[in-house]
Amino acid sequence: MEITSRSAQLIAYETIREKIINGAFPGGMKLVEVQLAEEIGVSRTPIREAIRRLEQEGLIKRKKVIKPSEKDLRHMFQMRTLIESHAAKMAATYMSEKRIVQLRSSIHLAQRSNTEGTVKANKEFHDLIVQECRNPIMIETVDKMQSIIYLFSKTVVVHERPLLLEEHMKICDAIEQRKPELASSLMEEHLKADLEFTLNIVE
Amino acid sequence: MEITSRSAQLIAYETIREKIINGAFPGGMKLVEVQLAEEIGVSRTPIREAIRRLEQEGLIKRKKVIKPSEKDLRHMFQMRTLIESHAAKMAATYMSEKRIVQLRSSIHLAQRSNTEGTVKANKEFHDLIVQECRNPIMIETVDKMQSIIYLFSKTVVVHERPLLLEEHMKICDAIEQRKPELASSLMEEHLKADLEFTLNIVE
DNA sequence: GTTTTCTGACTTGTATACATTATTTAACTC
DNA sequence: GAGTTAAATAATGTATACAAGTCAGAAAAC
């Protein structure tokens, strides 16, 4: 069997998404169907569908690439905090030993990687915890917001926040020691610090 | 100026949505583009867009009308609980006196209405509290799930749960007396009871 | 009788032409 | 020169034809 050629729609979706994420399409930019169609080499139809999809994902709003305001960011972090602190509580209660090992190794990986690797390992840390809420709706919600937050802090260079790893370690400890309330409130503080840092970078 | 004629897409969206909600398109039903196009009297293009939109809204999944499982329902209620108990806490802290009056009157309205009015008034109660989280993302998330939950419990006749109004009153009291933690945990229990009732109706 | 493969109908995906709406610009009035 | 309006232009919305893919049922093989 051959590689099934990706559909025009998928190509369009991935191309546009990529360009938004890596900054080629900056925040606020108006997306015009015919232009994109030419550029990507498909007709307008799949472009439209791709745009709808990205609209749903929150990366496009009324044909414009989103440019989240400080307020938007706060709202997203609030939502994340609600879910992730809940997830941390669940993790402290139910996470398997094996998973905890994985969690700890994501911290170690972050310590000895280059910038890109660190970013990835830190995302892994959060993802592992979020998984423990075992609720697909919550997981998807966090995922969606992470893309947008990432986009936002990516337009600026990726900075590494000083105390980040220490905080991850403390959270990991709390989970390992089966202290749900502690894990939850540590996560809350962690995300709060993250938000403030993100906002400070920008201005 | 005349009434601006609604776009084909809007007509398609509203028509299909309505039919899903009122049960004309039952859970699991396959939606075929050409059929809908003929039935509604527009071309396939706006039908597709309408379907995408409803897919995003969660009412359609892979061209089929959703039929949420018990597990899905539990997940949605969990997410709602997280947000609404947070909102209740916020309400107890910040809700204006004027709004609290509105809240109480939604309870009274529910007491002396017919079935349909009661359902509406009870939704109003929850909406008023959810508003107090002042976070558009959370508000939208709850909205989306409410449609689906409503759809689910609507296919069965609308039952009225015995203690529902008493619970609403207690929550309202807690908010009025500015007891955030109490309001929050009452809301949590309230939704838990609601879920169990909903699940019991069905089987 | 069961499984497999082929055929054809049905459905969705894509391109494109045309219609409608929104936006820009240019001219004109004051 | 500011503001208004009309025309031109561009962009999106809609219909439709055609392509590609999917699926069900009939025919064939075992």
Side-chain angles (χ1 to χ4, degrees):
Chain A
M1 223 324 139
E2 283 296 322
I3 4 116
T4 63
S5 69
R6 298 174 311 157
S7 67
Q9 195 188 133
L10 230 199
I11 293 171
Y13 167 77
E14 288 173 349
T15 309
I16 299 171
R17 187 172 197 283
E18 181 57 28
K19 298 211 174 193
I20 292 176
I21 297 285
N22 75 21
F25 292 167
M29 176 179 176
K30 175 99 187 281
L31 296 177
V32 176
E33 293 173 9
V34 270
Q35 274 174 24
L36 292 170
E38 269 180 39
E39 195 175 327
I40 297 175
V42 298
S43 83
R44 270 179 59 212
T45 313
I47 297 285
R48 302 192 105 218
E49 312 242 335
I51 288 181
R52 301 274 175 215
R53 208 168 139 191
L54 289 161
E55 240 160 13
Q56 168 206 1
E57 217 173 309
L59 289 176
I60 295 179
K61 215 162 220 171
R62 278 183 280 119
K63 311 269 159 179
K64 301 230 182 75
V65 178
I66 51 141
K67 189 162 62 175
S69 66
E70 178 174 326
K71 210 171 225 173
D72 293 334
L73 264 198
R74 286 187 186 281
H75 290 147
M76 282 186 275
F77 266 89
Q78 256 182 27
M79 179 88 245
R80 267 187 79 188
T81 302
L82 215 53
I83 296 176
E84 293 200 32
S85 65
H86 168 74
K89 201 183 296 180
M90 297 283 284
T93 315
Y94 301 115
M95 196 177 213
S96 72
E97 298 297 334
K98 207 175 121 203
R99 281 282 167 129
I100 294 177
V101 172
Q102 267 184 275
L103 192 63
R104 203 166 284 286
S105 75
S106 80
I107 299 176
H108 294 147
L109 185 62
Q111 284 175 318
R112 41 186 177 65
S113 292
N114 56 358
T115 306
E116 196 186 343
T118 302
V119 171
K120 220 169 157 180
N122 286 337
K123 185 177 181 316
E124 169 83 0
F125 177 84
H126 279 272
D127 284 347
L128 277 169
I129 292 175
V130 170
Q131 287 296 125
E132 292 302 311
C133 76
R134 281 148 213 226
N135 184 322
I137 298 172
M138 295 185 190
I139 293 172
E140 202 203 310
T141 305
V142 171
D143 260 7
K144 246 167 76 172
M145 287 182 305
Q146 273 183 342
S147 319
I148 300 174
I149 291 168
Y150 173 77
L151 164 65
F152 191 65
S153 50
K154 188 60 186 307
T155 47
V156 225
V157 191
V158 180
H159 290 68
E160 288 178 41
R161 181 159 69 81
L163 292 169
L164 191 139
L165 281 178
E166 282 81 349
E167 289 169 19
H168 279 190
M169 271 189 257
K170 276 191 195 157
I171 293 171
C172 190
D173 291 346
I175 290 173
E176 196 169 31
Q177 291 160 33
R178 306 302 182 187
K179 294 180 178 166
E181 293 306 326
L182 180 61
S184 172
S185 60
L186 284 174
M187 178 62 90
E188 216 170 309
E189 283 166 37
H190 171 61
L191 285 174
K192 195 172 166 188
D194 235 36
L195 168 62
E196 293 310 326
F197 183 75
T198 306
L199 290 177
N200 271 323
I201 283 177
V202 177
E203 247 63 29
Chain B
M1 236 307 150
E2 281 299 319
I3 5 116
T4 64
S5 71
R6 298 174 310 158
S7 67
Q9 195 188 133
L10 230 199
I11 294 171
Y13 167 76
E14 287 173 349
T15 309
I16 298 172
R17 187 170 197 284
E18 180 57 28
K19 297 209 174 194
I20 292 176
I21 298 285
N22 76 22
F25 292 167
M29 177 179 175
K30 174 96 186 282
L31 296 177
V32 176
E33 293 173 8
V34 270
Q35 273 174 25
L36 292 171
E38 269 181 39
E39 195 174 327
I40 299 176
V42 298
S43 84
R44 271 179 59 212
T45 312
I47 296 285
R48 302 192 104 217
E49 313 241 335
I51 288 180
R52 301 275 175 213
R53 209 168 139 193
L54 289 161
E55 241 160 11
Q56 169 209 357
E57 217 173 309
L59 289 176
I60 295 180
K61 216 162 219 170
R62 278 183 280 118
K63 310 271 158 179
K64 301 231 181 76
V65 178
I66 50 140
K67 189 162 63 177
S69 66
E70 178 173 327
K71 210 171 225 172
D72 294 333
L73 265 198
R74 286 187 187 281
H75 291 147
M76 283 186 274
F77 266 89
Q78 255 181 30
M79 179 87 245
R80 266 187 79 187
T81 303
L82 215 53
I83 296 176
E84 293 201 31
S85 65
H86 168 74
K89 201 183 295 179
M90 297 283 284
T93 315
Y94 300 113
M95 197 177 212
S96 71
E97 297 297 335
K98 206 175 122 205
R99 281 282 166 126
I100 294 178
V101 172
Q102 267 185 275
L103 192 64
R104 203 166 284 286
S105 76
S106 80
I107 299 177
H108 293 149
L109 185 62
Q111 283 176 318
R112 40 185 177 67
S113 293
N114 56 358
T115 306
E116 196 186 343
T118 302
V119 170
K120 219 168 159 182
N122 286 337
K123 186 177 182 316
E124 169 83 358
F125 177 85
H126 279 271
D127 285 347
L128 278 169
I129 292 175
V130 170
Q131 287 296 126
E132 292 302 310
C133 75
R134 281 149 211 225
N135 184 321
I137 299 172
M138 294 185 190
I139 293 172
E140 202 203 311
T141 306
V142 171
D143 261 7
K144 247 167 76 172
M145 287 183 304
Q146 273 182 343
S147 319
I148 300 174
I149 291 168
Y150 173 76
L151 165 65
F152 192 65
S153 49
K154 189 60 187 306
T155 46
V156 224
V157 190
V158 180
H159 289 69
E160 289 178 41
R161 180 159 69 81
L163 293 169
L164 192 138
L165 281 179
E166 282 80 350
E167 289 170 20
H168 278 191
M169 272 189 255
K170 277 189 195 159
I171 293 171
C172 190
D173 291 345
I175 290 174
E176 196 168 31
Q177 292 159 33
R178 306 303 183 187
K179 294 181 178 165
E181 293 306 325
L182 180 61
S184 172
S185 60
L186 284 174
M187 178 62 91
E188 216 170 309
E189 282 166 38
H190 171 61
L191 285 173
K192 196 172 166 188
D194 236 35
L195 169 61
E196 293 311 326
F197 183 75
T198 306
L199 290 177
N200 271 323
I201 283 177
V202 178
E203 246 63 30

